[in-house]
Amino acid sequence: MASSDVLDLVSNISTRVEATLSGFSQLSHLYDLTKNKFKKADNKYGVLPLDAQEVSGVTKYYTVDQRFQIILTTSYESDQKTDADLRGKVKTLQDYCHDVYKDLYDTRCGLNSVVLNVKDIAIDEPDLLESDKVVAVSASFTVTYRRQLGI
């Protein structure tokens, strides 16, 4: 990886999400989900880079722990009597987060020569976009990767 490490990681993570979760398309807006146009039975995802910090590594390289977040969304049916459909969709999205994480761990984000580890998954509580009847579940995880120093 060169100077586009974060771009390459986001791109490869997106590719792995699409390979793991068929039928998901990319969200247009990741920071404000309400700006997206949702349709019934619409499954969408997004990948965001979060904080990064250098960690101890080997000579001639510097090693980085960077957090990434995946956002998964799907529509749900609204019912005055029960929220069973919503609960089912939340559980499914949480399972999908685990599936994507396992794939990223197994493939090292598709960047075996640079990514050392994928670790520390944390799945957030769901967010409801009630006006669109959409639920979003986010998961964050750490990717440890290294870059060669110009020595």
Side-chain angles (χ1 to χ4, degrees):
M1 286 169 92
S3 61
S4 61
D5 291 337
V6 176
L7 289 174
D8 289 346
L9 279 163
V10 168
S11 175
N12 277 40
I13 292 168
S14 294
T15 298
R16 299 310 314 156
V17 170
E18 290 178 7
T20 304
L21 305 177
S22 63
F24 275 73
S25 59
Q26 286 195 0
L27 289 160
S28 300
H29 300 276
L30 300 179
Y31 292 103
D32 184 355
L33 294 179
T34 62
K35 290 184 177 180
N36 290 286
K37 303 262 189 263
F38 294 103
K39 299 175 186 167
K40 192 171 184 168
D42 211 5
N43 296 319
K44 295 188 179 245
Y45 79 93
V47 177
L48 285 172
L50 303 176
D51 60 303
Q53 64 182 6
E54 184 176 5
V55 295
S56 63
V58 295
T59 308
K60 297 185 183 177
Y61 289 89
Y62 72 91
T63 305
V64 177
D65 270 355
Q66 176 142 13
R67 301 281 299 161
F68 287 87
Q69 181 182 50
I70 58 169
I71 304 162
L72 304 179
T73 67
T74 193
S75 58
Y76 65 91
E77 295 294 324
S78 180
D79 186 338
Q80 296 296 329
K81 296 179 184 177
T82 179
D83 64 354
D85 187 60
L86 174 59
R87 287 184 311 220
K89 297 288 175 85
V90 167
K91 290 174 189 172
T92 298
L93 290 177
Q94 289 174 337
D95 284 342
Y96 287 166
C97 287
H98 287 288
D99 294 344
V100 170
Y101 177 75
K102 182 183 179 317
D103 179 81
L104 293 171
Y105 177 86
D106 290 345
T107 65
R108 289 194 285 180
C109 303
L111 295 166
N112 291 337
S113 63
V114 177
V115 172
L116 303 174
N117 200 6
V118 178
K119 59 187 179 183
D120 301 331
I121 187 172
I123 300 175
D124 297 329
E125 63 186 64
D127 289 321
L128 297 180
L129 298 118
E130 292 186 51
S131 62
D132 292 312
K133 301 294 183 240
V134 168
V135 61
V137 172
S138 299
S140 58
F141 50 90
T142 301
V143 175
T144 304
Y145 62 96
R146 72 170 77 169
R147 293 193 62 188
Q148 188 166 7
L149 294 171
I151 297 175

